[in-house]
Amino acid sequence: MPDVDALLDDLREESQELDVLVRELSAGQWAAPTPAPGWSVAHQIAHLTWTDEVALLAATDADAFAGEVARAMEAPESFVDRGAEELAVLDPAALLARWRDGRGRLDPVLRAAPAGVRIPWYGPSMSVASMATARIMETWAHGQDIADALGVTRAPTARLRHVARIGVRARDYAYLVRGIKAPEEEFRVELKAPDGELIVFGAQDAPQHVTGPLLDFCLLVTQRAHRDDLAVRAVGPDADQWLGIAQAFAGPAGPGRAPRGAGAPKGDDE
């Protein structure tokens, strides 16, 4: 069983690292556009704030959260953007304080949740471990958008293994949201962490597999970089197809990012 306290410790560290990145920004930097169309740095923090708040609601008041789900279903393509937009207009100091407050209140609630409890969500309910892992993934991914906007290169950490895990577990979901039948056989995924550790998923004798750096795989499944710009490789036609559609997040298939060389003439090897 996953160690929930360890996961929540990692979530707290991931959030704190992002907090350090944004807390001294100027008003102009908070308004800077990020790679997500229409989203500024403020929108990214606003989205994390909104998600922490609805996660807290889901964990403490299932009936009230059901009302939030009903409202989301009335506008499934826009409710996430709406949540970010409503908070992004706050003064940066007020937004930062609200993000800190929300994540600070969510942490003890998740730590105190009874073993085996399921938390309702916008789709299947989630275990506490899954909720914590999803929050780590989202915090890292939206933090990457902010880092890209600011021209900052972040050092990869061991917490990326959680992002990779959710990306692998969401494999069949990526097919589902595109109306494609998922392969019946699992893939072997072998990822090399920055410290040299090999992080693996799937059976060793799986005929189709994916390999590459842990960071690159996480950028791929969160759709923070285009496959052409990453050193992730597939063996087998199904595994190759998956790398073109992989997503670690719930919701509709995202447009992803254009390759850095978009618009340039293709060489003979492309």
Side-chain angles (χ1 to χ4, degrees):
M1 293 292 293
D3 185 331
V4 170
D5 283 332
L7 282 169
L8 290 169
D9 288 346
D10 281 351
L11 173 57
R12 183 170 54 200
E13 290 178 10
E14 191 67 39
S15 300
Q16 182 59 30
E17 183 177 291
L18 179 55
D19 193 306
V20 170
L21 181 60
V22 302
R23 67 189 181 192
E24 300 297 334
L25 296 182
S26 67
Q29 288 173 311
W30 277 92
T34 67
W39 278 31
S40 64
V41 170
H43 282 85
Q44 301 287 349
I45 296 299
H47 173 70
L48 293 175
T49 303
W50 174 83
T51 312
D52 285 339
E53 290 179 357
V54 293
L56 180 63
L57 184 65
T60 58
D61 191 336
D63 290 339
F65 179 72
E68 290 296 317
V69 173
R71 283 186 284 275
M73 294 305 98
E74 294 173 358
E77 301 294 331
S78 63
F79 80 97
V80 171
D81 285 339
R82 187 175 65 244
E85 289 165 359
E86 290 174 354
L87 294 175
V89 299
L90 294 175
D91 177 81
L95 175 57
L96 184 58
R98 184 158 170 174
W99 177 42
R100 289 169 173 168
D101 177 69
R103 70 184 202 246
R105 287 186 293 127
L106 179 62
D107 179 275
V109 168
L110 295 181
R111 289 183 191 273
V117 72
R118 305 289 298 183
I119 300 173
W121 199 237
Y122 297 96
S125 62
M126 304 174 73
S127 67
V128 174
S130 293
M131 175 66 77
T133 303
R135 300 307 305 125
I136 293 170
M137 181 273 293
E138 280 233 321
T139 303
W140 179 81
H142 291 284
Q144 186 63 42
D145 289 335
I146 293 171
D148 288 343
L150 300 175
V152 172
T153 299
R154 301 187 299 171
T157 73
R159 297 187 296 271
L160 286 177
R161 69 189 185 278
H162 304 308
V163 181
R165 181 174 182 270
I166 202 170
V168 171
R169 289 175 62 86
R171 186 200 75 165
D172 288 2
Y173 180 80
Y175 286 92
L176 176 66
V177 296
R178 291 166 175 80
I180 305 172
K181 180 177 173 56
E184 294 184 3
E185 63 182 20
E186 67 175 355
F187 306 146
R188 173 77 165 183
V189 179
E190 299 182 353
L191 306 170
K192 190 171 184 179
D195 63 1
E197 179 187 2
L198 192 63
I199 298 174
V200 299
F201 305 91
Q204 187 171 4
D205 60 353
Q208 301 191 61
H209 57 269
V210 168
T211 61
L214 174 62
L215 173 60
D216 285 22
F217 182 79
C218 292
L219 290 168
L220 178 77
V221 298
T222 57
Q223 296 188 2
R224 262 51 189 185
H226 193 276
R227 178 183 178 182
D228 290 353
D229 298 324
L230 303 170
V232 183
R233 302 290 179 260
V235 172
D238 294 329
D240 185 73
Q241 180 189 42
W242 176 48
L243 293 188
I245 64 172
Q247 66 178 72
F249 50 88
R257 301 282 159 79
R260 286 195 295 266
K266 288 183 177 294
D268 292 339
D269 60 339
E270 298 180 344

